[in-house]
Coordinates of all heavy atoms in Angstrom, one line a residue:
M1 N 92.6 -108.1 -83.3 CA 91.2 -108.8 -83.2 C 91.5 -110.3 -83.4 O 92.1 -110.7 -84.4 CB 90.5 -108.4 -84.4 CG 89.0 -108.8 -84.5 SD 87.9 -108.2 -83.4 CE 87.7 -106.5 -83.9
V2 N 91.1 -111.0 -82.4 CA 91.3 -112.5 -82.4 C 90.2 -113.2 -83.3 O 89.1 -112.7 -83.4 CB 91.0 -113.0 -80.9 CG1 91.2 -114.5 -80.9 CG2 92.1 -112.4 -80.0
F3 N 90.8 -114.0 -84.1 CA 90.0 -114.8 -85.1 C 89.1 -115.8 -84.3 O 89.7 -116.7 -83.6 CB 90.9 -115.5 -86.1 CG 90.1 -116.2 -87.2 CD1 89.6 -115.5 -88.2 CD2 90.1 -117.5 -87.1 CE1 88.9 -116.2 -89.3 CE2 89.4 -118.3 -88.2 CZ 88.9 -117.5 -89.2
P4 N 87.9 -115.7 -84.3 CA 87.0 -116.4 -83.2 C 86.6 -117.8 -83.7 O 86.1 -118.6 -83.0 CB 85.8 -115.5 -83.1 CG 85.6 -114.8 -84.3 CD 86.9 -114.7 -85.0
F5 N 86.7 -118.1 -85.0 CA 86.2 -119.3 -85.5 C 87.0 -120.6 -85.2 O 88.2 -120.5 -85.1 CB 86.0 -119.3 -87.1 CG 84.9 -118.3 -87.5 CD1 85.2 -116.9 -87.7 CD2 83.6 -118.8 -87.7 CE1 84.2 -116.1 -88.1 CE2 82.6 -117.9 -88.1 CZ 82.9 -116.5 -88.3
Y6 N 86.4 -121.7 -85.1 CA 87.1 -123.0 -84.9 C 87.8 -123.4 -86.2 O 88.8 -124.0 -86.3 CB 86.2 -124.1 -84.3 CG 85.8 -123.8 -82.9 CD1 84.4 -123.6 -82.6 CD2 86.7 -123.8 -81.9 CE1 84.0 -123.2 -81.4 CE2 86.2 -123.5 -80.5 CZ 84.9 -123.3 -80.4 OH 84.4 -122.9 -79.1
D7 N 87.1 -123.0 -87.3 CA 87.5 -123.4 -88.6 C 88.8 -122.7 -88.9 O 89.1 -121.5 -88.4 CB 86.5 -123.0 -89.7 CG 85.1 -123.5 -89.4 OD1 84.4 -122.9 -88.5 OD2 84.7 -124.5 -90.0
A8 N 89.6 -123.3 -89.8 CA 90.9 -122.6 -90.1 C 90.7 -121.3 -90.9 O 89.5 -121.1 -91.5 CB 91.8 -123.5 -91.1
K9 N 91.6 -120.3 -90.8 CA 91.5 -119.1 -91.4 C 91.3 -119.2 -93.0 O 90.6 -118.4 -93.6 CB 92.6 -118.2 -91.2 CG 92.8 -117.7 -89.7 CD 93.9 -116.9 -89.5 CE 94.0 -116.4 -88.1 NZ 95.2 -115.6 -87.7
N10 N 91.8 -120.2 -93.5 CA 91.8 -120.4 -95.0 C 90.6 -121.3 -95.4 O 90.6 -121.7 -96.6 CB 93.1 -120.9 -95.5 CG 93.5 -122.3 -95.0 OD1 92.8 -122.8 -94.2 ND2 94.5 -122.9 -95.5
T11 N 89.7 -121.6 -94.6 CA 88.6 -122.3 -94.9 C 87.8 -121.7 -96.0 O 87.4 -120.5 -95.9 CB 87.6 -122.5 -93.7 OG1 88.3 -123.2 -92.7 CG2 86.3 -123.3 -94.0
A12 N 87.5 -122.4 -97.1 CA 86.7 -121.9 -98.2 C 85.3 -121.7 -97.8 O 84.7 -122.5 -97.3 CB 86.8 -122.8 -99.4
T13 N 84.8 -120.5 -98.1 CA 83.5 -120.0 -97.8 C 82.8 -119.3 -98.8 O 83.6 -118.8 -99.7 CB 83.4 -119.1 -96.5 OG1 83.9 -117.8 -96.9 CG2 84.2 -119.7 -95.3
I14 N 81.5 -119.4 -98.9 CA 80.7 -118.7 -100.1 C 80.4 -117.3 -99.6 O 79.9 -117.1 -98.6 CB 79.5 -119.6 -100.4 CG1 80.0 -120.9 -101.0 CG2 78.6 -118.8 -101.4 CD1 78.8 -121.9 -101.2
I15 N 80.6 -116.5 -100.5 CA 80.2 -115.1 -100.3 C 79.5 -114.6 -101.6 O 79.9 -115.1 -102.7 CB 81.3 -114.2 -100.0 CG1 81.0 -112.9 -99.4 CG2 82.4 -114.0 -101.0 CD1 82.1 -112.0 -98.8
C16 N 78.6 -113.7 -101.5 CA 77.9 -113.3 -102.8 C 78.7 -112.0 -103.4 O 79.3 -111.2 -102.6 CB 76.5 -113.0 -102.7 SG 76.0 -111.4 -101.9
C17 N 78.5 -111.8 -104.6 CA 79.3 -110.7 -105.3 C 78.8 -109.3 -104.7 O 79.6 -108.4 -104.8 CB 79.0 -110.8 -106.8 SG 77.3 -110.6 -107.3
H18 N 77.5 -109.2 -104.3 CA 77.1 -108.0 -103.8 C 77.9 -107.5 -102.5 O 78.2 -106.3 -102.3 CB 75.5 -108.0 -103.4 CG 74.8 -108.6 -104.5 ND1 74.2 -109.8 -104.4 CD2 74.6 -108.2 -105.7 CE1 73.6 -110.2 -105.5 NE2 73.7 -109.2 -106.4
V19 N 78.2 -108.5 -101.7 CA 78.9 -108.2 -100.5 C 80.5 -107.8 -100.8 O 81.0 -107.0 -100.4 CB 78.9 -109.4 -99.5 CG1 79.8 -109.1 -98.3 CG2 77.5 -109.6 -99.0
I20 N 81.0 -108.7 -101.7 CA 82.4 -108.5 -102.1 C 82.5 -107.1 -102.8 O 83.5 -106.4 -102.5 CB 82.8 -109.5 -103.2 CG1 83.1 -110.9 -102.5 CG2 84.1 -109.0 -103.9 CD1 83.8 -111.9 -103.3
N21 N 81.6 -106.6 -103.5 CA 81.6 -105.4 -104.3 C 81.2 -104.2 -103.3 O 81.4 -103.1 -103.8 CB 80.7 -105.4 -105.5 CG 81.0 -106.4 -106.5 OD1 82.2 -106.9 -106.5 ND2 80.2 -106.8 -107.4
G22 N 80.9 -104.5 -102.1 CA 80.5 -103.5 -101.2 C 79.2 -102.8 -101.4 O 78.8 -101.7 -101.0
E23 N 78.3 -103.4 -102.3 CA 77.1 -103.0 -102.6 C 76.0 -103.2 -101.5 O 75.1 -102.5 -101.2 CB 76.5 -103.6 -103.9 CG 77.3 -103.3 -105.2 CD 76.8 -104.3 -106.2 OE1 75.7 -104.9 -106.1 OE2 77.6 -104.5 -107.2
K24 N 76.3 -104.4 -100.7 CA 75.4 -104.8 -99.7 C 76.1 -105.2 -98.5 O 77.2 -105.8 -98.7 CB 74.4 -105.9 -100.2 CG 73.5 -105.5 -101.4 CD 72.2 -104.9 -100.8 CE 71.3 -104.3 -102.1 NZ 71.0 -105.2 -103.1
P25 N 75.5 -105.1 -97.3 CA 76.2 -105.7 -96.1 C 75.9 -107.3 -96.0 O 74.9 -107.7 -96.8 CB 75.6 -104.9 -94.9 CG 74.3 -104.5 -95.4 CD 74.3 -104.4 -96.9
I26 N 76.5 -108.0 -95.2 CA 76.1 -109.3 -94.9 C 75.0 -109.4 -94.0 O 75.0 -108.9 -92.9 CB 77.3 -110.2 -94.3 CG1 78.5 -110.1 -95.2 CG2 76.9 -111.5 -94.0 CD1 79.8 -110.6 -94.5
L27 N 73.9 -109.9 -94.5 CA 72.6 -109.9 -93.8 C 72.1 -111.3 -93.6 O 71.2 -111.6 -92.9 CB 71.5 -109.1 -94.5 CG 71.8 -107.6 -94.5 CD1 70.7 -106.9 -95.2 CD2 72.1 -107.0 -93.2
F28 N 72.7 -112.4 -94.1 CA 72.2 -113.7 -94.1 C 73.6 -114.7 -94.0 O 74.4 -114.6 -94.9 CB 71.5 -114.1 -95.3 CG 71.1 -115.6 -95.3 CD1 69.8 -116.0 -94.8 CD2 71.9 -116.6 -96.0 CE1 69.4 -117.2 -94.8 CE2 71.5 -117.9 -95.9 CZ 70.3 -118.3 -95.3
V29 N 73.6 -115.4 -93.0 CA 74.8 -116.3 -92.8 C 74.2 -117.7 -92.5 O 73.3 -118.0 -91.7 CB 75.7 -116.0 -91.6 CG1 76.8 -117.0 -91.5 CG2 76.2 -114.6 -91.8
S30 N 74.8 -118.7 -93.3 CA 74.3 -120.0 -93.3 C 75.6 -120.9 -92.9 O 76.6 -120.7 -93.4 CB 73.6 -120.5 -94.5 OG 73.4 -122.0 -94.4
H31 N 75.3 -121.9 -92.0 CA 76.4 -122.9 -91.6 C 75.7 -124.3 -92.0 O 74.9 -124.8 -91.2 CB 76.8 -122.8 -90.3 CG 78.1 -123.5 -89.9 ND1 78.6 -123.7 -88.6 CD2 79.0 -124.0 -90.8 CE1 79.8 -124.4 -88.6 NE2 80.0 -124.5 -89.9
D32 N 76.1 -124.7 -93.2 CA 75.3 -125.8 -93.8 C 75.5 -127.2 -93.0 O 76.6 -127.4 -92.6 CB 75.7 -125.9 -95.3 CG 75.4 -124.8 -96.2 OD1 74.6 -124.0 -95.7 OD2 75.9 -124.7 -97.2
E33 N 74.4 -127.9 -93.0 CA 74.4 -129.1 -92.2 C 75.3 -130.1 -93.0 O 75.9 -130.9 -92.3 CB 73.0 -129.6 -92.0 CG 72.9 -130.8 -91.1 CD 71.7 -130.8 -90.3 OE1 70.7 -130.4 -90.6 OE2 71.8 -131.2 -89.1
D34 N 75.1 -130.3 -94.2 CA 75.6 -131.5 -95.0 C 77.2 -131.4 -95.1 O 77.8 -132.4 -94.9 CB 75.0 -131.6 -96.3 CG 75.0 -130.3 -97.1 OD1 75.3 -129.2 -96.5 OD2 74.6 -130.3 -98.3
D35 N 77.7 -130.2 -95.3 CA 79.1 -130.1 -95.6 C 79.9 -129.1 -94.7 O 81.1 -129.0 -94.8 CB 79.4 -129.8 -97.1 CG 78.8 -128.4 -97.5 OD1 78.1 -127.9 -96.7 OD2 78.8 -128.2 -98.6
G36 N 79.2 -128.4 -93.7 CA 79.8 -127.5 -92.8 C 80.1 -126.2 -93.6 O 80.9 -125.5 -92.8
M37 N 79.7 -126.0 -94.7 CA 80.1 -124.8 -95.5 C 79.5 -123.6 -94.8 O 78.3 -123.5 -94.6 CB 79.8 -125.0 -96.8 CG 80.0 -123.8 -97.8 SD 81.8 -123.7 -98.3 CE 81.8 -124.7 -99.9
W38 N 80.3 -122.4 -94.8 CA 79.8 -121.2 -94.3 C 79.3 -120.4 -95.6 O 80.0 -120.4 -96.5 CB 80.8 -120.3 -93.5 CG 81.0 -120.9 -92.1 CD1 82.1 -121.7 -91.8 CD2 80.3 -120.5 -91.0 NE1 82.0 -121.9 -90.5 CE2 81.0 -121.1 -89.9 CE3 79.3 -119.7 -90.6 CZ2 80.6 -121.1 -88.6 CZ3 78.8 -119.6 -89.4 CH2 79.6 -120.2 -88.4
Q39 N 78.2 -119.7 -95.5 CA 77.8 -118.8 -96.6 C 77.4 -117.5 -96.0 O 76.7 -117.3 -95.0 CB 76.5 -119.4 -97.3 CG 76.7 -120.8 -97.9 CD 75.5 -121.1 -98.8 OE1 75.0 -120.3 -99.6 NE2 75.1 -122.4 -98.7
F40 N 78.0 -116.5 -96.7 CA 77.8 -115.1 -96.2 C 77.2 -114.3 -97.4 O 77.8 -114.0 -98.4 CB 79.1 -114.5 -95.8 CG 79.7 -115.2 -94.7 CD1 80.7 -116.2 -94.9 CD2 79.5 -114.9 -93.3 CE1 81.3 -117.0 -94.0 CE2 80.0 -115.6 -92.3 CZ 80.9 -116.5 -92.6
L41 N 75.8 -113.9 -97.3 CA 75.2 -113.4 -98.4 C 74.4 -112.1 -98.0 O 74.2 -111.9 -96.7 CB 74.1 -114.5 -98.9 CG 74.6 -115.9 -99.1 CD1 73.5 -116.8 -99.7 CD2 75.7 -115.7 -100.4
C42 N 73.9 -111.4 -98.9 CA 73.3 -110.0 -98.6 C 71.9 -110.2 -98.3 O 71.2 -109.3 -97.9 CB 73.5 -109.1 -99.8 SG 72.6 -109.6 -101.3
G43 N 71.3 -111.5 -98.4 CA 69.9 -111.8 -98.1 C 68.9 -111.5 -99.3 O 67.8 -111.9 -99.1
K44 N 69.5 -111.1 -100.5 CA 68.6 -111.1 -101.6 C 68.7 -112.5 -102.3 O 69.4 -113.3 -102.1 CB 69.0 -110.0 -102.7 CG 69.0 -108.6 -102.0 CD 67.7 -108.1 -101.9 CE 67.7 -106.7 -101.3 NZ 66.8 -106.5 -100.3
A45 N 67.7 -112.6 -103.4 CA 68.0 -113.8 -104.2 C 69.2 -113.8 -105.0 O 69.6 -112.8 -105.5 CB 66.7 -113.9 -105.1
H46 N 69.7 -115.0 -105.3 CA 70.9 -115.2 -106.0 C 70.9 -116.1 -107.1 O 70.3 -117.2 -107.0 CB 72.1 -115.4 -105.0 CG 72.4 -114.4 -104.0 ND1 71.9 -114.4 -102.8 CD2 73.2 -113.4 -104.1 CE1 72.2 -113.3 -102.1 NE2 73.1 -112.6 -103.1
E47 N 71.7 -115.8 -108.1 CA 71.9 -116.9 -109.2 C 73.2 -117.5 -108.8 O 74.0 -117.1 -108.0 CB 72.2 -116.1 -110.6 CG 71.1 -115.2 -111.0 CD 69.7 -116.0 -111.3 OE1 70.0 -117.2 -111.7 OE2 68.7 -115.5 -111.2
T48 N 73.6 -118.7 -109.4 CA 74.7 -119.4 -109.1 C 76.0 -118.5 -109.3 O 77.0 -118.6 -108.6 CB 74.8 -120.7 -109.9 OG1 73.6 -121.4 -109.8 CG2 76.0 -121.6 -109.5
D49 N 75.9 -117.7 -110.4 CA 77.1 -117.0 -110.8 C 77.4 -115.9 -109.8 O 78.6 -115.3 -109.7 CB 76.8 -116.2 -112.2 CG 76.9 -117.2 -113.2 OD1 77.3 -118.4 -113.0 OD2 76.6 -116.8 -114.4
D50 N 76.4 -115.5 -108.9 CA 76.7 -114.5 -107.8 C 77.5 -114.9 -106.7 O 78.1 -114.2 -105.9 CB 75.3 -114.1 -107.2 CG 74.5 -113.4 -108.3 OD1 75.0 -112.9 -109.3 OD2 73.2 -113.4 -108.1
A51 N 77.7 -116.2 -106.6 CA 78.5 -116.8 -105.5 C 79.9 -116.9 -105.8 O 80.4 -117.4 -106.9 CB 77.9 -118.3 -105.1
K52 N 80.8 -116.4 -104.9 CA 82.3 -116.5 -105.0 C 82.8 -117.3 -103.8 O 82.2 -117.2 -102.7 CB 82.8 -115.1 -105.0 CG 82.1 -114.1 -106.0 CD 82.4 -114.5 -107.4 CE 81.6 -113.6 -108.3 NZ 81.5 -114.2 -109.7
L53 N 84.0 -117.9 -104.0 CA 84.7 -118.5 -102.9 C 85.7 -117.7 -102.4 O 86.6 -117.2 -103.2 CB 85.3 -119.8 -103.4 CG 84.4 -121.1 -103.4 CD1 85.1 -122.3 -103.9 CD2 83.8 -121.4 -102.0
V54 N 85.7 -117.4 -101.0 CA 86.9 -116.7 -100.4 C 87.2 -117.4 -99.1 O 86.5 -118.3 -98.7 CB 86.4 -115.2 -100.1 CG1 86.1 -114.4 -101.4 CG2 85.2 -115.2 -99.1
S55 N 88.3 -116.9 -98.4 CA 88.5 -117.5 -97.1 C 87.8 -117.0 -96.0 O 87.2 -115.9 -96.1 CB 90.1 -117.4 -96.8 OG 90.3 -115.9 -96.6
L56 N 87.6 -117.8 -95.0 CA 86.9 -117.3 -93.8 C 87.5 -116.0 -93.2 O 86.8 -115.2 -92.7 CB 86.8 -118.4 -92.7 CG 85.8 -118.3 -91.6 CD1 84.4 -118.0 -92.0 CD2 85.9 -119.5 -90.7
K57 N 88.9 -116.1 -93.3 CA 89.5 -114.8 -92.8 C 89.2 -113.6 -93.4 O 89.0 -112.4 -93.0 CB 91.1 -115.1 -92.9 CG 91.9 -114.0 -92.4 CD 93.3 -114.5 -92.4 CE 94.3 -113.3 -91.9 NZ 94.7 -112.4 -93.1
Y58 N 89.1 -113.8 -94.8 CA 88.6 -112.6 -95.7 C 87.2 -112.1 -95.2 O 87.1 -110.8 -95.1 CB 88.6 -113.0 -97.2 CG 88.1 -112.0 -98.1 CD1 89.0 -111.2 -98.8 CD2 86.7 -111.8 -98.3 CE1 88.5 -110.2 -99.6 CE2 86.2 -110.9 -99.3 CZ 87.1 -110.1 -99.9 OH 86.7 -109.1 -100.7
V59 N 86.3 -112.9 -94.9 CA 85.0 -112.5 -94.6 C 85.0 -111.8 -93.1 O 84.4 -110.8 -93.0 CB 83.9 -113.6 -94.5 CG1 82.6 -113.2 -94.1 CG2 83.9 -114.3 -95.9
F60 N 85.8 -112.3 -92.3 CA 85.8 -111.8 -91.0 C 86.5 -110.4 -91.0 O 86.0 -109.5 -90.3 CB 86.6 -112.7 -90.0 CG 86.8 -112.2 -88.6 CD1 85.7 -112.0 -87.8 CD2 88.1 -111.9 -88.1 CE1 85.9 -111.5 -86.5 CE2 88.3 -111.3 -86.9 CZ 87.2 -111.2 -86.1
E61 N 87.5 -110.3 -91.8 CA 88.1 -108.9 -91.9 C 87.2 -107.9 -92.6 O 87.3 -106.7 -92.4 CB 89.5 -109.0 -92.6 CG 90.6 -109.8 -91.8 CD 91.8 -110.0 -92.4 OE1 92.0 -109.7 -93.6 OE2 92.8 -110.4 -91.8
L62 N 86.5 -108.4 -93.5 CA 85.5 -107.6 -94.2 C 84.4 -107.1 -93.2 O 84.0 -105.9 -93.3 CB 84.7 -108.3 -95.3 CG 83.9 -107.6 -96.3 CD1 84.9 -106.9 -97.3 CD2 83.2 -108.6 -97.3
D63 N 83.9 -107.9 -92.3 CA 82.8 -107.5 -91.3 C 83.2 -108.4 -90.1 O 82.7 -109.5 -90.0 CB 81.5 -107.8 -92.0 CG 80.3 -107.4 -91.1 OD1 80.7 -107.0 -89.9 OD2 79.3 -107.3 -91.6
N64 N 83.7 -107.8 -89.1 CA 84.0 -108.4 -87.8 C 82.8 -108.9 -87.1 O 82.8 -109.8 -86.3 CB 84.7 -107.4 -86.9 CG 86.1 -107.2 -87.2 OD1 86.8 -108.1 -87.8 ND2 86.6 -105.9 -86.9
S65 N 81.6 -108.4 -87.4 CA 80.4 -108.8 -86.7 C 80.0 -110.3 -87.1 O 79.2 -110.8 -86.3 CB 79.2 -107.8 -87.0 OG 78.8 -107.9 -88.4
V66 N 80.5 -110.8 -88.0 CA 80.2 -112.3 -88.4 C 80.9 -113.2 -87.2 O 80.5 -114.3 -87.1 CB 80.6 -112.7 -89.8 CG1 79.9 -111.9 -90.8 CG2 82.1 -112.7 -89.9
G67 N 81.8 -112.6 -86.6 CA 82.5 -113.3 -85.4 C 81.5 -113.7 -84.3 O 81.8 -114.6 -83.7
D68 N 80.5 -112.9 -84.2 CA 79.4 -113.3 -83.3 C 78.8 -114.7 -83.6 O 78.2 -115.3 -82.6 CB 78.4 -112.2 -83.3 CG 78.7 -110.8 -82.8 OD1 79.9 -110.8 -82.3 OD2 78.1 -109.9 -83.1
L69 N 78.9 -115.1 -84.7 CA 78.4 -116.3 -85.1 C 79.3 -117.5 -85.1 O 79.0 -118.6 -85.6 CB 77.7 -116.2 -86.6 CG 76.6 -115.1 -86.7 CD1 76.4 -114.9 -88.1 CD2 75.4 -115.5 -85.9
A70 N 80.4 -117.4 -84.6 CA 81.6 -118.4 -84.6 C 81.0 -119.7 -84.0 O 81.5 -120.7 -84.4 CB 82.7 -117.8 -84.0
D71 N 80.2 -119.6 -83.0 CA 79.8 -120.8 -82.3 C 78.4 -121.5 -82.9 O 77.9 -122.3 -82.4 CB 79.5 -120.5 -80.8 CG 80.8 -120.2 -80.1 OD1 81.8 -120.6 -80.5 OD2 80.7 -119.4 -79.1
M72 N 78.0 -120.7 -83.9 CA 76.7 -121.3 -84.6 C 77.0 -122.7 -85.2 O 77.8 -122.8 -86.1 CB 76.2 -120.3 -85.6 CG 74.8 -120.7 -86.2 SD 74.1 -119.4 -87.2 CE 75.1 -119.6 -88.7
P73 N 76.2 -123.7 -84.7 CA 76.5 -125.0 -85.3 C 76.0 -125.2 -86.7 O 75.2 -124.5 -87.3 CB 75.5 -126.0 -84.4 CG 75.0 -125.0 -83.3 CD 75.1 -123.6 -83.7
C74 N 76.4 -126.3 -87.3 CA 75.9 -126.7 -88.6 C 74.5 -126.9 -88.6 O 73.9 -127.4 -87.5 CB 76.7 -127.9 -89.0 SG 78.5 -127.8 -89.3
G75 N 73.7 -126.5 -89.6 CA 72.3 -126.7 -89.7 C 71.6 -125.6 -89.2 O 70.3 -125.6 -89.1
Y76 N 72.3 -124.4 -88.9 CA 71.7 -123.2 -88.4 C 71.9 -122.2 -89.4 O 73.0 -122.2 -90.1 CB 72.1 -122.9 -87.1 CG 71.6 -123.7 -85.9 CD1 72.1 -124.9 -85.8 CD2 70.6 -123.2 -85.1 CE1 71.5 -125.8 -84.7 CE2 70.1 -124.0 -84.1 CZ 70.6 -125.2 -83.9 OH 70.0 -126.0 -82.9
Y77 N 71.1 -121.2 -89.5 CA 71.3 -119.9 -90.2 C 71.0 -118.7 -89.4 O 70.3 -118.8 -88.4 CB 70.7 -119.9 -91.5 CG 69.1 -119.8 -91.5 CD1 68.5 -118.5 -91.5 CD2 68.4 -120.9 -91.3 CE1 67.1 -118.3 -91.4 CE2 67.0 -120.9 -91.2 CZ 66.3 -119.6 -91.3 OH 64.9 -119.5 -91.2
A78 N 71.6 -117.6 -89.8 CA 71.4 -116.3 -89.0 C 71.0 -115.2 -89.9 O 71.5 -115.1 -91.1 CB 72.6 -115.9 -88.3
T79 N 70.0 -114.4 -89.5 CA 69.7 -113.2 -90.4 C 69.7 -112.0 -89.5 O 69.6 -112.0 -88.2 CB 68.3 -113.4 -90.9 OG1 67.4 -113.6 -89.9 CG2 68.3 -114.5 -91.9
R80 N 69.7 -110.8 -90.1 CA 69.5 -109.5 -89.4 C 68.9 -108.5 -90.5 O 69.2 -108.7 -91.7 CB 70.9 -109.0 -88.8 CG 71.9 -108.9 -89.7 CD 73.2 -108.4 -89.2 NE 74.3 -108.4 -90.1 CZ 75.6 -108.0 -89.9 NH1 75.9 -107.6 -88.6 NH2 76.5 -108.0 -90.8
E81 N 68.3 -107.5 -89.9 CA 67.5 -106.6 -90.8 C 68.5 -105.5 -91.4 O 68.4 -105.2 -92.6 CB 66.5 -105.8 -90.0 CG 65.4 -106.6 -89.6 CD 64.4 -107.0 -90.8 OE1 64.2 -106.1 -91.7 OE2 64.0 -108.2 -90.7
T82 N 69.5 -105.2 -90.6 CA 70.5 -104.2 -91.0 C 71.8 -104.7 -90.4 O 71.8 -105.4 -89.4 CB 70.3 -102.8 -90.7 OG1 70.5 -102.5 -89.3 CG2 68.8 -102.3 -91.0
Q83 N 72.9 -104.0 -90.9 CA 74.2 -104.4 -90.4 C 74.4 -104.0 -88.9 O 75.2 -104.6 -88.2 CB 75.3 -103.6 -91.1 CG 76.7 -104.2 -91.1 CD 77.6 -103.7 -92.1 OE1 77.3 -102.7 -92.7 NE2 78.7 -104.4 -92.4
K84 N 73.5 -103.1 -88.4 CA 73.6 -102.7 -86.9 C 72.8 -103.6 -86.0 O 72.9 -103.6 -84.8 CB 73.1 -101.3 -86.8 CG 74.1 -100.3 -87.4 CD 73.6 -98.9 -87.4 CE 74.6 -97.9 -87.9 NZ 73.9 -96.6 -88.2
D85 N 71.9 -104.5 -86.6 CA 71.1 -105.3 -85.7 C 71.8 -106.4 -85.3 O 72.8 -106.9 -85.9 CB 69.9 -105.8 -86.6 CG 68.8 -104.6 -86.7 OD1 68.6 -103.8 -85.9 OD2 68.2 -104.5 -87.9
N86 N 71.3 -107.1 -84.1 CA 71.8 -108.3 -83.7 C 71.4 -109.5 -84.6 O 70.3 -109.4 -85.2 CB 71.4 -108.6 -82.3 CG 72.0 -107.7 -81.2 OD1 73.2 -107.3 -81.4 ND2 71.3 -107.4 -80.2
W87 N 72.2 -110.5 -84.7 CA 71.9 -111.6 -85.5 C 70.8 -112.4 -84.8 O 70.7 -112.6 -83.5 CB 73.1 -112.6 -85.6 CG 74.2 -112.0 -86.4 CD1 75.3 -111.6 -86.0 CD2 74.3 -112.0 -87.8 NE1 76.1 -111.3 -87.0 CE2 75.4 -111.4 -88.2 CE3 73.3 -112.3 -88.8 CZ2 75.8 -111.2 -89.5 CZ3 73.7 -112.1 -90.1 CH2 74.9 -111.5 -90.5
V88 N 69.9 -113.0 -85.6 CA 68.8 -113.8 -85.2 C 69.2 -115.3 -85.7 O 69.1 -115.4 -86.9 CB 67.4 -113.3 -85.6 CG1 66.4 -114.3 -85.1 CG2 67.1 -112.1 -85.0
I89 N 69.4 -116.3 -84.8 CA 69.7 -117.5 -85.3 C 68.6 -118.5 -85.3 O 67.8 -118.5 -84.3 CB 70.9 -118.0 -84.3 CG1 72.2 -117.1 -84.4 CG2 71.3 -119.4 -84.7 CD1 73.3 -117.6 -83.5
T90 N 68.4 -119.2 -86.3 CA 67.4 -120.2 -86.6 C 67.8 -121.5 -87.0 O 68.8 -121.6 -87.7 CB 66.3 -119.6 -87.6 OG1 66.0 -118.3 -87.3 CG2 65.1 -120.5 -87.7
K91 N 67.1 -122.6 -86.5 CA 67.5 -124.0 -86.9 C 66.8 -124.1 -88.2 O 65.7 -123.8 -88.3 CB 67.1 -125.0 -85.8 CG 67.7 -126.3 -86.0 CD 67.4 -127.2 -84.9 CE 68.1 -128.5 -84.8 NZ 68.4 -129.2 -86.1
R92 N 67.5 -124.8 -89.1 CA 66.9 -125.3 -90.4 C 65.8 -126.3 -90.1 O 65.9 -127.2 -89.4 CB 67.8 -125.8 -91.4 CG 68.7 -124.7 -92.0 CD 69.2 -125.1 -93.3 NE 70.1 -124.0 -93.8 CZ 69.7 -123.0 -94.5 NH1 68.3 -122.8 -94.8 NH2 70.5 -122.0 -95.0
Ligands
ZN1 ZN1 74.0 -110.8 -102.7

């Protein structure tokens, strides 16, 4: 599986504890406009403590479908209803 992102594999990204723990799939992905940070969240509301830092490679290996968003520019976010749905990309 080719790593599709332009960012380095060890790029620090935000992931929520629900996804890391396998409780929820990734249903919300943000590519932040100000700092270019990727966020991979389950789509529920989060406290600051719920956010963990992992590498982009870790997220991609956890769920290859985030690779569909490799070309999503900064300032956009993507959502989907379930893990099987296609991503819907929206500009902030
Ligand atoms: Zn979560």
Side-chain angles (χ1 to χ4, degrees):
M1 184 72 67
V2 177
F3 186 75
F5 290 88
Y6 295 111
D7 309 78
K9 290 180 179 176
N10 64 354
T11 301
T13 66
I14 293 173
I15 192 169
C16 78
C17 59
H18 313 108
V19 174
I20 285 192
N21 295 341
E23 296 168 22
K24 299 267 169 64
I26 299 169
L27 298 179
F28 178 91
V29 177
S30 171
H31 199 189
D32 294 346
E33 181 141 41
D34 49 349
D35 55 7
M37 179 77 94
W38 289 94
Q39 297 191 45
F40 300 91
L41 308 175
C42 68
K44 302 283 182 229
H46 292 97
E47 306 290 335
T48 309
D49 288 349
D50 295 337
K52 310 292 176 196
L53 275 180
V54 296
S55 68
L56 191 55
K57 179 171 179 279
Y58 176 93
V59 179
F60 178 64
E61 289 179 349
L62 194 72
D63 186 346
N64 287 331
S65 68
V66 301
D68 296 344
L69 300 172
D71 292 329
M72 184 170 74
C74 296
Y76 286 74
Y77 66 93
T79 58
R80 57 183 176 178
E81 291 290 318
T82 74
Q83 201 165 17
K84 289 177 182 166
D85 288 320
N86 290 324
W87 291 107
V88 177
I89 298 176
T90 308
K91 193 177 194 316
R92 283 206 185 275

